[in-house]
Amino acid sequence: MVNSEMGTINRSGELLVSVLVVTHNGRRRVGDCLATLLDQDFTHLYEVVVIDNGSSDGTPEYIEQTFAGVRLIRLDRNYGPNTALRLARPHLRGKYIAYANQDIIAHRHWLAGLLEVALAHPRAGIVESNMILPQWPEYQPQRRDAPVQRAYVCDLTPLSIQDFRIVSVNATTPPIPVLSAYCAACLINPQVLDALGYWSDEGFFAYFDDIDLGLRLNASGYEVFLAPRSLVYHDTIWLFQWSWRSIRRAYLSTRNMILVFYKLCYPSEFIQLLPRLMLGKLIRAGQHRRTALGKLVYALTAIPLLTVSVMAAFLKMPAYRERRKLTMSRRIAPPGWVVDSLKRLDWKADGAVWSEPAATDPV
């Protein structure tokens, strides 16, 4: 199943961090990602490891030929990022694991910014990066040495959905605690995650596994932070457009989010959160449209998809009973904690974040 090949990173000192990239048919983008991961203003010894999820586009051959300092682990098929992380872990030699999607470009201070927060907060299981999406003005020209002036903080809103708010950043801005996690680029403390009983939920394959992890960490008395000066440029689109890919993403994310709360919540909490989550998903469907009519049309057309997603989540619940037992056995937060925590998140998505959608509103 696994074929590992060694490379070297020319650094001095103790091997502190293993930087892991999970790739699948990423030939077009992974080269730019790896080039920036290898070019960090980081004074400690670190390694860069790629685990390839059965790519068929020549990605592993390209990495072997181009990046001698990268260690490559090949899998025989696409297991998804969560299973790939588990399979890669025995091959990783660092005390910490820095994870990066294949579609990110890292600021030169990315790794140092993550480690600074992790060392100052030993109970932090996840330290996530400040991510710049293509819709935002900082995305171009992707300056890798510039001072960071704004953090886009991704967290759960009171409606149980993820969104962004903007925080000004200077040289003394402290790490920002978050309830969920956005792990497209982050630092993992393996010892803390081991205390949860399991890391990412491999049953999700993709979508909302990081939210699940962030909530479980917080509920178990650990911490999740955003490192405001650890910057990456993430080539992903959050705007919902009607396509098979976006429909699949919306279906899986809704189904998985319901399962997240099923695993984590007492029954009274789950009953209170489910209507709120469904309302939040409908609002999210039309959230980034420019016109009122566009918002309404997208929300109404999302109702059938939402209904199917909820039904699918309930059908899968029996398969998650054992994981729920394990999750609840690690939870130390009292009954009502999930609902109260969301209520305390008394912020709304920053209008400036989505003021310039990447796609023209079709309605």
Side-chain angles (χ1 to χ4, degrees), residues 3-11 18-23 30-39 46-52 59-74 91-93 100:
N3 176 28
S4 176
E5 300 186 7
M6 296 292 295
T8 59
I9 298 295
N10 205 1
R11 295 285 190 272
S18 294
V19 179
L20 177 66
V21 178
V22 176
T23 184
V30 74
D32 292 338
C33 173
L34 292 176
T36 63
L37 298 181
L38 291 166
D39 179 32
Y46 73 104
E47 64 176 355
V48 178
V49 181
V50 174
I51 183 163
D52 183 78
T59 296
E61 293 79 11
Y62 165 71
I63 293 171
E64 289 174 344
Q65 295 167 7
T66 311
F67 297 98
V70 170
R71 189 148 53 98
L72 177 66
I73 303 170
R74 297 195 191 203
H91 300 268
L92 305 179
R93 301 172 296 184

Side-chain angles (χ1 to χ4, degrees), residues 170-182:
N170 57 43
T172 61
T173 302
I176 300 167
V178 290
L179 189 62
S180 64
Y182 185 13

Side-chain angles (χ1 to χ4, degrees), residues 23-29 52-60 102:
T23 184
H24 174 69
N25 290 339
R27 171 66 179 82
R28 182 172 62 89
R29 293 187 288 192
D52 183 78
N53 256 327
S55 292
S56 58
D57 66 345
T59 296
Q102 65 184 12

Side-chain angles (χ1 to χ4, degrees), residues 1-3 52-55 73-79 87:
M1 182 192 306
V2 178
N3 176 28
D52 183 78
N53 256 327
S55 292
I73 303 170
R74 297 195 191 203
L75 302 181
D76 58 346
R77 61 183 176 86
N78 186 5
Y79 291 87
L87 294 173

